[in-house]
Amino acid sequence: MKPFTFDQIPIMMNKLHDKLEHLEKLILRISITEENKNELLNVEQASKLLNLSVATIYSKVCRKEIPVNKKGKRIYFYRHKLMKWIKSGRLKTYTEMKNDIEKRSKF
């Protein structure tokens, strides 16, 4: 890094300020993500998150179709595990399937 002149100090300070703001936003986003990972939901909260009835949630738990934690008679759900479960059911597009087939045929 080249030394800068006295006249460049305001410009450099402005750049430094912008970078600090960007870092603050990244740190805040990471901390919110970490909080969400450990957030426990009860059945009602999980049903709202998934837009399913409580009865449907219970039936999915009985059939072991949904990630759940049980303590005594109560069941709990980790938000990040429910989101991962939802994403695991994503259907591939035609292009993605075609690319997968092409990759496999290269071997």
Side-chain angles (χ1 to χ4, degrees):
M1 186 170 132
K2 293 182 185 179
F4 49 92
T5 65
F6 184 77
D7 295 334
Q8 293 174 318
I9 289 177
I11 295 168
M12 298 304 285
M13 290 297 291
N14 201 15
K15 286 182 179 180
L16 183 61
H17 180 266
D18 290 344
K19 288 183 179 187
L20 279 174
E21 273 188 346
H22 180 70
L23 284 173
E24 285 177 341
K25 288 177 185 175
L26 286 175
I27 291 169
L28 182 61
R29 190 179 321 150
I30 289 169
S31 67
I32 289 171
T33 302
E34 287 300 315
E35 286 175 13
N36 284 345
K37 274 189 173 181
N38 297 324
E39 184 179 0
L40 273 177
L41 306 176
N42 61 28
V43 178
E44 289 81 16
Q45 293 167 324
S47 76
K48 286 180 184 175
L49 176 69
L50 300 173
N51 199 21
L52 297 171
S53 70
V54 172
T56 302
I57 297 288
Y58 278 117
S59 66
K60 289 187 177 298
V61 167
C62 287
R63 292 191 306 261
K64 300 184 187 314
E65 294 178 359
I66 191 169
V68 64
N69 296 290
K70 189 172 182 181
K71 187 69 176 172
K73 293 184 178 183
R74 298 199 179 250
I75 58 174
Y76 301 96
F77 306 87
Y78 281 105
R79 176 184 294 273
H80 78 280
K81 287 188 178 183
L82 290 177
M83 298 308 290
K84 187 176 178 181
W85 175 72
I86 291 169
K87 291 175 186 176
S88 72
R90 181 182 173 276
L91 299 175
K92 292 185 177 183
T93 64
Y94 174 76
T95 307
E96 289 172 332
M97 287 188 283
K98 184 179 174 185
N99 289 340
D100 287 348
I101 292 169
E102 289 174 359
K103 286 179 187 176
R104 290 180 191 163
S105 64
K106 287 181 182 180
F107 294 112

